[in-house]
Structures are given as C-alpha cells and as structure tokens.
Amino acid sequence: MEGYVIDAVPYRGRLKIVLDGFREAWVRTTYPIYVMTDKPEAIMEHPSVVSHEEEDWRTLSGERVKLHRYELTDLDAWSYISRRATVVNQLPTVLSLVLDRLGARPFRKVKIEDGRIVESWDPGLSFPPVRYATVITHDWYGPAEEGGMFEAEVNGEVKRGFLRDLDLEVDVAGCFGRACDHVRAPVKIRLEHKKSPVSVKGLIEWSYTCKTPLKELVNATIGKALTTNEAWVAFERKVVVPNLVPRVEKLRDMDEMLLNDKGGLVFFPRVGCFDDAWQIDFSSMYPSLIVKYNISGETVDACDDVVTEIGHTICNRERGIVPEALSWLIGRKEALKPVDPERAEAVKWILVASFGYLGYRNSKFGKIEAYELVTYYARKTLRRAVEIAREMGVEVLHGIVDSLVVRGDAPQLVKRLEEETGLRLRSTKLKWIVLGRRRDGLPYPMRYFGMTEEGMKYKGVIRRNMPNLVKEFLESSMEILSRAESCDDLSKLRSNLVENLMEYERRVMHGEPRDFVMWIRGEPYVRGVRGFYNARDGFMGRDSEYYLEYLRRTAREVLGIG
C-alpha cells in the first residue's frame, strides 16, 4: 500500500498509519522513553519494557550525562513511567520519534508491506496531493458557531450555501461550529480552539517542518512549533531536551538595564508625500541575525569568543541549537515564497516568534541575554544601513526596525548593504508614498501608504477591531488612491475621496446590520444608543452619531479629508 501519511494512532506493539483517502495500514513498533535514573533495573521490571540501552548524552551546558532508553510496547506504560521517574526528551513527542525512525514522517509518501515501511518519499517543496478544507458557518454578523449558512474552501476552491446541504469528505478539515457535524476527515481541527494564526494549509506545513503529527499541533501555539524544530536539532546532537530550564537572570543595576533592555530602532519619518521612493526590507532580519551571530541560550555568555559593548559575550566553538534550527527554516521559507506563498507565510510565523521566544521564561533554548543581543545587533545593523545610505547620497525618509524608506539609487544601496551585513534584502519601488502625522501633530512612524507596480501597499491603516463599514471605507479609499501615478495626482483625487466618504456617511444611516459589527477579542459587538452589545444576541439598532464620528475621524486622521 502506498500513500501520504495523514495521521498515526498508537496501539500495543503496533501503529495504525492513516493515509490519504481514508486508507489505513498497520506497522509493528515499540515506543522509546528516556529516563535519568540511578536504578535502571527498577524500570526494567515493568512488563511493557522490551529492551534497555544506556546512552551518552550531554546537557545544554555541556555536562556529560547518562540516559537510559527503554523500548515499550505501549504508551500507557510511557505515561505510567513518566509519572514516577525523571523523563527527558519529551519533545519531540514520542509519536514523532517513532514515525521518524520508521520513515513515516507526516505528509511524506510511504510504501507499506507486511507490517513495515519499505520505502519513503519526501515531496520537498511540492504540496502533498491531499484534500484539505476550511469550513465556517455564518450568521448575519459573520462567523458563528450556530450559523445556518456555510463557506467552505476545499483545496483553494470556495463553495457557499445552506449548512443543511453540506456533505464533505477530506483528509484534513478545519471546521467551525455546526459545520463540523457535516464534515468527515481523519484529522479534524476545531477552528474555535485553534491558537495559531496560520491556515489549515499552513498547519499542514507546520506538521511537515516539525515532523510531528498534525493532531499534536492543531491547538498548539507558534512557540511549540518553534521549540519542536529546535528540539529536533538538540535530539540529533544527543543534547538532553529538558522539561523545564531553570535559569535566573544575572543581577544588574539600572544603568546596565537601560543599556541592554531596548527594542528595535524606529525613526520619526519625514512627513509628506514623496515620489519615486523605495522600501528596503531586511529579509527575516531577526532570525538572520540569530544565525549570523550564533545567538542561542547555550552560546551566550558561555565563553568570550565575541565580546559586545553591552556586556554579553558569544561562544562560537559550536553552532548553537537555535541558529541551526532557524537556518533551515529561513531556507525553507525563501524556497517556498515563489512556489506557495501560503505555506511560506506559515513558516514565516515560526521565524517571527523565534526572536521573542529567546527571552520567554519557559523557552527551552533561550535566555533574556540572547534576546537582548538580537535587538542590539538589529539596532546596530539599521544604524549602519542609514550611515551607508548617507555616504552614497541616498535620502532616508523613514526607518522601522528592519525596513527603510529611501529616495535615490536603492539597487546599489541594497547591493552594498548585502555585501557589508551579509544579510539578504529585498526592495520595492514606490511610485509615491505618504508618511503622516498622529493626532497630536507628531510624525506617525507606524502608518503609511503608497503605490507600487503591483498595487497599493499600506501599514497601520486598517485595524482588525474597526467596524466593518469603516474597514470597507478605507479599502475603497485605497482603491481610489491607486489611480494616482504621483503625489501631484493625489490632490486631484480629493473630490473622489470626499464623494466616497459621503457615500459611507449615507450607509451609516441606511446600511445593513453587518456594517456596524466590530470584532473585539473574537466577539462581535455593535454600538447601540445605550452602549455596546454583543451581536450574537441579535441586531438591536446602532448609534448613528457614534459611527458617523468614527468614520469622519478616521477619514481626517488617515486621509486628511472631512
């Protein structure tokens, strides 16, 4: 039997492999458990233990230790022993380890004969030919668990209709509310419980990159996906993956805190509209800095190979676990971008979390000093980029952490920066860009919009918690502005923007109930004459003055009209 691995179900002495198309096959196996103990013979007395090996491992600090690996017939025994002994290497999970050594990693193609896997194929950058779907029920205000309508996206094809007519069979399904009762799948993801920001297709990519069954990731945070990738590096190096890393931040005075505990560099932009600009972005800047400077929990302040001006040191005698894991993920993301942007975005989320997780108290492979070193090198890199730009006569209009907006010879600047920093950059030509002000008159670093060859590009313009009507107003306004080829053209479009604003003002008075819904922390709200109420209780009117003022204020602050 041949097929792609969708899921695996453990049984005593064997594993049920679920393949695409609802097919199943059985494979003989045992389940490993790693124990730190002075009495290995005591665990051997458990009837489920079939073998025992003593292995040489090392801790994150480099200390040599003995681990005892027992092979068990079932996972019940694994749970029993883990409650009574010091068990380590619990990540990657035991099921992931079993699939890995059997050659049946998730979403790889396998051939199974006589209870064993005889051949395995990796799809590489190609998406495995499995059926996946996202199915959401809707009510008048949007996604609703009890909604009577559905929207289903099956392998990229969108279908809509009445829920009573839905009958769907796929390999992996992400479903919401009552839709789950109308979908059959070996792996079913309840979207209302999902903690990750990625799509169902993105979760399949996570399962592939983490070499972990999808069912163990469906409710996981980005941190688990990141830590699992790092744990695989540690496991392959025979470095013990602890359950808890006891670490205490070293004592520092206030001057040291002011020097070290800083974020990324953000400039006040030059306010106005600028023609012929460029946006230059460092590609995966923070992860790339972690890789370049070998920043990891076990390499920082471990020896003095590199001494920095903020007091932290880096040891380069061995490549760090975090840089090793991120290096592969960066390469995977870049390779996927032209092939499948949705899966590339899923990998990008793991990379985005890699920096913050370095300083997270429960991180297995980080520590606060490593976190501080990343921001230190990021600030240093962006400052140097500005210096080089000025040396080359390139005008710097704005800068945010890992990005610059400039005017001048950007292609040569990119080439020079890549040569000097060793980091990859990408540049986007802007026909024009608007950098605006805050309400108090100061420049607003986190909001801009401009026109590229592909269309409008904007940041900080539309917020998720805005009323639907205001979001649509801003989207339509961006569409109007996309007609401009230069800053001079923008002034000619002012009357169109004002007309658009007047149209949405009329919608405040005569619009559909859904126009007035705003989503706040996953709940739909409407502003009524007596205050806010939950839209799940039904539509009970809206406060017209509130929505008019919200709309006009947004038009003034973002577009300078009204």
Side-chain angles (χ1 to χ4, degrees):
M1 182 182 292
E2 293 183 9
Y4 285 83
V5 178
I6 303 297
D7 193 16
V9 184
Y11 287 83
R12 184 177 179 84
R14 57 183 185 160
L15 196 64
K16 181 170 74 174
I17 305 293
V18 180
L19 304 176
D20 60 296
F22 287 79
R23 294 171 298 154
E24 298 174 351
W26 293 88
V27 177
R28 294 182 293 273
T29 190
T30 55
Y31 303 93
I33 188 169
Y34 292 84
V35 183
M36 299 181 74
T37 179
D38 295 329
K39 298 179 180 180
E41 64 282 353
I43 296 176
M44 281 294 296
E45 295 175 0
H46 194 286
S48 290
V49 176
V50 296
S51 67
H52 165 248
E53 293 288 339
E54 184 178 274
E55 299 180 352
D56 292 320
W57 286 64
R58 59 191 172 98
T59 65
L60 286 169
S61 60
E63 179 185 356
R64 296 289 174 179
V65 295
K66 296 287 186 181
L67 287 190
H68 297 271
R69 176 174 57 82
Y70 301 90
E71 293 293 333
L72 312 174
T73 57
D74 59 84
L75 289 186
D76 287 339
W78 193 99
S79 299
Y80 178 88
I81 294 170
S82 66
R83 292 194 298 269
R84 290 162 175 80
T86 304
V87 175
V88 295
N89 293 348
Q90 296 191 41
L91 205 65
T93 64
V94 61
L95 193 53
S96 303
L97 293 174
V98 169
L99 290 172
D100 182 62
R101 68 186 187 182
L102 287 175
R105 295 173 178 176
F107 297 99
R108 277 74 165 180
K109 188 177 181 181
V110 295
K111 182 177 182 180
I112 303 174
E113 293 179 355
D114 300 323
R116 63 190 184 92
I117 294 170
V118 296
E119 203 167 355
S120 177
W121 299 270
D122 192 315
L125 297 179
S126 300
F127 187 73
V130 300
R131 280 175 58 80
Y132 67 95
T134 301
V135 189
I136 298 175
T137 47
H138 286 264
D139 207 329
W140 66 269
Y141 52 82
E145 293 185 37
E146 299 300 319
M149 303 291 290
F150 78 88
E151 180 176 290
E153 183 178 341
V154 184
N155 285 63
E157 181 182 349
V158 177
K159 302 176 181 179
R160 298 181 179 89
F162 291 103
L163 185 60
R164 62 175 179 266
D165 299 327
L166 177 63
D167 185 17
L168 188 61
E169 186 174 282
V170 292
D171 297 309
V172 179
C175 54
F176 183 78
R178 295 196 302 157
C180 292
D181 298 331
H182 296 256
V183 179
R184 294 184 300 280
V187 178
K188 195 178 289 188
I189 304 165
R190 299 287 308 206
L191 296 177
E192 56 264 45
H193 300 150
K194 184 169 71 74
K195 299 176 183 177
S196 65
V198 300
S199 64
V200 172
K201 191 176 186 182
L203 281 173
I204 292 174
E205 176 63 23
W206 276 16
S207 180
Y208 175 92
T209 57
C210 296
K211 298 183 285 189
T212 298
L214 186 56
K215 64 185 177 185
E216 295 183 349
L217 293 171
V218 292
N219 297 325
T221 62
I222 306 174
K224 182 174 181 180
L226 169 67
T227 304
T228 299
N229 276 281
E230 295 168 343
W232 275 112
V233 174
F235 186 84
E236 290 161 3
R237 294 183 181 184
K238 303 196 82 170
V239 174
V240 176
V241 181
N243 300 326
L244 181 65
V245 181
R247 59 172 66 93
V248 179
E249 186 178 348
K250 64 183 181 181
L251 187 64
R252 293 184 283 183
D253 58 32
M254 187 57 70
D255 289 338
E256 289 176 306
M257 290 293 291
L258 289 173
L259 179 65
N260 298 340
D261 191 13
K262 297 179 180 179
L265 196 60
V266 178
F267 302 152
F268 269 159
R270 285 185 55 191
V271 175
C273 183
F274 303 91
D275 289 324
D276 299 321
W278 292 81
Q279 183 170 355
I280 298 174
D281 297 299
F282 285 88
S283 182
S284 300
M285 185 191 210
Y286 279 11
S288 297
L289 291 173
I290 292 170
V291 172
K292 177 181 178 180
Y293 292 104
N294 200 36
I295 301 172
S296 193
E298 77 281 7
T299 64
V300 173
D301 293 340
C303 72
D304 296 341
D305 289 345
V306 177
V307 180
T308 68
E309 59 195 44
I310 63 171
H312 300 323
T313 64
I314 303 173
C315 197
N316 285 327
R317 296 171 190 176
E318 183 181 30
R319 195 177 198 190
I321 290 171
V322 176
E324 180 74 19
L326 296 187
S327 179
W328 183 81
L329 288 170
I330 291 171
R332 175 81 177 171
K333 186 202 78 171
E334 293 300 322
L336 279 173
K337 281 174 70 174
V339 176
D340 193 327
E342 188 174 355
R343 285 189 291 148
E345 184 71 13
V347 179
K348 180 182 176 180
W349 274 110
I350 302 177
L351 293 171
V352 167
S354 64
F355 157 65
Y357 223 69
L358 271 178
Y360 180 47
R361 66 182 183 277
N362 291 332
S363 171
K364 296 182 185 297
F365 304 103
K367 59 183 177 183
I368 191 64
E369 292 82 2
Y371 174 95
E372 292 171 348
L373 273 172
V374 178
T375 58
Y376 160 73
Y377 279 116
R379 294 191 300 273
K380 189 174 181 178
T381 300
L382 197 63
R383 286 194 188 101
R384 182 57 187 147
V386 172
E387 290 173 359
I388 292 172
R390 288 171 177 165
E391 289 172 9
M392 297 177 63
V394 175
E395 181 184 11
V396 177
L397 302 174
H398 192 19
I400 307 177
V401 183
D402 61 352
S403 176
L404 290 174
V405 178
V406 303
R407 286 199 298 184
D409 193 347
Q412 283 301 313
L413 175 60
V414 167
K415 182 179 179 181
R416 171 88 179 273
L417 290 175
E418 288 184 333
E419 291 172 352
E420 181 153 333
T421 66
L423 305 179
R424 294 188 61 181
L425 291 94
R426 58 181 181 273
S427 58
T428 304
K429 182 73 172 69
L430 295 160
K431 297 179 180 179
W432 52 266
I433 185 171
V434 172
L435 304 170
R437 299 181 185 273
R438 305 187 313 191
R439 293 185 196 176
D440 58 11
L442 291 175
Y444 195 170
M446 308 310 293
R447 184 170 66 209
Y448 60 80
F449 53 89
M451 185 64 184
T452 72
E453 295 295 337
E454 289 73 37
M456 288 293 292
K457 182 173 185 177
Y458 45 88
K459 177 183 177 67
V461 173
I462 300 175
R463 302 192 310 274
R464 285 181 294 180
N465 62 354
M466 285 177 165
N468 288 333
L469 177 140
V470 176
K471 289 180 184 177
E472 292 178 21
F473 163 71
L474 289 171
E475 288 169 355
S476 61
S477 296
M478 292 297 112
E479 175 62 29
I480 291 171
L481 293 176
S482 68
R483 305 171 195 167
E485 292 293 318
S486 67
C487 290
D488 286 342
D489 290 343
L490 287 181
S491 59
K492 302 173 185 176
L493 294 171
R494 183 179 178 83
S495 60
N496 300 81
L497 292 174
V498 171
E499 184 178 337
N500 189 48
L501 174 59
M502 293 172 63
E503 173 62 29
Y504 276 86
E505 287 176 340
R506 286 190 287 272
R507 276 183 60 175
V508 170
M509 307 308 297
H510 308 291
E512 298 294 326
R514 190 178 181 279
D515 288 341
F516 309 104
V517 175
M518 58 188 80
W519 288 84
I520 302 173
R521 296 182 179 179
E523 289 294 320
Y525 287 93
V526 175
R527 172 65 178 247
V529 292
R530 295 184 178 180
F532 289 96
Y533 62 88
N534 197 307
R536 298 189 194 278
D537 298 328
F539 184 66
M540 295 177 282
R542 78 277 189 255
D543 182 349
S544 301
E545 289 302 318
Y546 171 82
Y547 287 98
L548 274 174
E549 175 54 29
Y550 199 130
L551 181 66
R552 291 166 179 169
R553 182 177 68 248
T554 301
R556 287 194 305 270
E557 293 177 359
V558 178
L559 304 172
I561 62 171

